[in-house]
Each structure stands twice: as C-alpha cells, then as structure tokens.
Amino acid sequence: MTSMVVLGLSIATVLLLLGAFLATLRQDRKGRTAEPPVEVAPLETPLPAPVGVVGYAGSDYADPRTLKVGDGIEVHGSPARVLGAMFISWQGQEWTEFLLRDTARRRQWLSVETRQGDPPHLEVFMWTEVPTQGMVPAKSMIVMEGVEFFPIERGTAAFRSEGETGLPERGLLDFADYRASDGRLLSFERIQGGSWTASYANPLAPGSIAVVSRAP
C-alpha cells in the first residue's frame, strides 16, 4: 500500500515536471519566433508649389518671354493673338504684360515675370478683369466678392508700350497687389492717374501656351 502511494506521488511529480518543461519550451519557442514590431515612418505630405511659379528651363515648352506683338498663340488650346505689350520696370524688377485677343474678340492680359531666386523662375499669369464698383486699393485688407485679400506689393512703375494697347507709348502705372488666404491674387492698376481697374490672376503652368505662328 505504501509502495503504491509512493509510486502514485512519483508519477504525479513526473507529470508536473514534464508539464512545466513543455510549457517553458513553448514559451521559449514563442519568444524565438516572434518578429519584432516594425516601425513605420510617418508619410510626409509634399508641400504645395507656390501659386503661379512655373519653370521652363531645360523643357520643350514655349517660353512666353519670347512672345512678340503679332504672334499667333494658343492658351490651353484656345487660339489668340498678341495685340500689344507693356514692358514694365519698378525698383529693379521688370515684367511684360501682353494684351491678347481670342476668337470671340475678348481681350485679356498675360503677364510674364522672371523672379530672382535659387534658381530663378518664371511667374506667368492670365488676368481676368472684375468690376471694381468704384473701389480703390486700400493699404489694409479689402473684401472683393466676399473674399478677403491682403496687401503684398504696391507702387508706381514706368512702362513702355508696343502694338494695339490703347496706351501712351511711355508713361507711369500705379499698381496694388493682394493675395487671399487660399492663394488667389488680385491686382489693381491705373494708367497715368486714371481710373482703377481690377483683375484676378490665374497661374499658367508650362505647356499652357503654344506658339502657332510668328509675327513677320
């Protein structure tokens, strides 16, 4: 009887030891095969390009700086002709504004300016006139059609004109530029102290302009 009890206890002890060994073995295998957590770097959101900044260096796109009065062009595939040009200078900056007429005989101004930087870049805008309703440019924020615009640049520039612009051959141009929080641009201009006109700017990317024919 005593032998049977001792044998039973021995078997129970062996089973307990065997169970503990197997549990330890499973735990050890789990620890060896488990893969360490992979650290995933957060995705970086690319910064948006500045409104109106486009580059033409080293590309096959037509360079708008080469436009001349009388050229036939296409803007986003729509034909237009360069009627005239204004060559403007102000505090060391120079830019050109081309007067275009499309097939519906509508007129719009296309501005082209080389901005200094690293590297230099072109700013090309198509301007669409908006009614000022007697508004004049303020030195603080203004509201146009429910949108707040904040002043960025203003001054009096000298200009020289060519072609059919309806402007003097030489003169002075007052301007005041504004930008909205969403990047939209608004500009006021007046020639020789005349009435103010206002226009919105739409940036043109490389490839938007194609030269169809050159003036003789």
Side-chain angles (χ1 to χ4, degrees):
M1 182 69 177
T2 303
S3 300
M4 294 180 61
V5 171
V6 172
L7 179 61
L9 290 174
S10 299
I11 294 174
T13 301
V14 170
L15 291 176
L16 288 173
L17 292 174
L18 181 60
F21 172 75
L22 292 176
T24 303
L25 180 62
R26 285 195 298 268
Q27 184 65 31
D28 182 64
R29 287 174 57 84
K30 181 180 178 182
R32 290 172 186 265
T33 58
E35 296 182 357
V38 178
E39 294 184 3
V40 179
L43 295 177
E44 295 182 0
T45 303
L47 295 176
V51 175
V53 176
V54 294
Y56 291 81
S59 70
D60 295 329
Y61 299 125
D63 190 336
R65 292 172 296 184
T66 66
L67 294 180
K68 296 184 297 183
V69 175
D71 284 351
I73 66 173
E74 290 183 348
V75 181
H76 292 308
S78 300
R81 183 164 296 278
V82 181
L83 294 182
M86 292 178 62
F87 304 94
I88 306 170
S89 61
W90 175 70
Q91 294 186 356
Q93 301 180 39
E94 295 183 350
W95 67 94
T96 306
E97 296 183 2
F98 298 98
L99 179 60
L100 308 181
R101 183 179 64 199
D102 62 17
T103 53
R105 305 190 69 79
R106 291 174 300 189
R107 299 189 177 199
Q108 284 183 292
W109 288 94
L110 173 74
S111 67
V112 180
E113 181 177 2
T114 301
R115 286 284 188 174
Q116 298 304 313
D118 188 17
H121 57 268
L122 282 182
E123 291 186 346
V124 184
F125 293 100
M126 182 72 79
W127 296 87
T128 302
E129 188 170 342
V130 293
T132 60
Q133 299 177 344
M135 292 181 61
V136 297
K139 294 184 179 180
S140 58
M141 182 269 293
I142 62 174
V143 178
M144 177 70 77
E145 297 184 337
V147 179
E148 295 181 347
F149 289 87
F150 299 88
I152 54 176
E153 208 168 51
R154 67 187 298 141
T156 300
F159 73 86
R160 176 178 63 85
S161 66
E162 287 184 4
E164 302 175 23
T165 62
L167 303 174
E169 183 177 347
R170 296 181 183 275
L172 296 177
L173 164 71
D174 297 321
F175 69 92
D177 296 336
Y178 299 80
R179 179 182 286 118
S181 58
D182 60 4
R184 278 186 283 181
L185 296 180
L186 170 70
S187 181
F188 282 81
E189 290 185 352
R190 67 177 178 180
I191 305 295
Q192 303 285 81
S195 301
W196 288 101
T197 61
S199 301
Y200 290 133
N202 294 313
L204 297 183
S208 302
I209 300 173
V211 179
V212 179
S213 61
R214 289 291 188 181

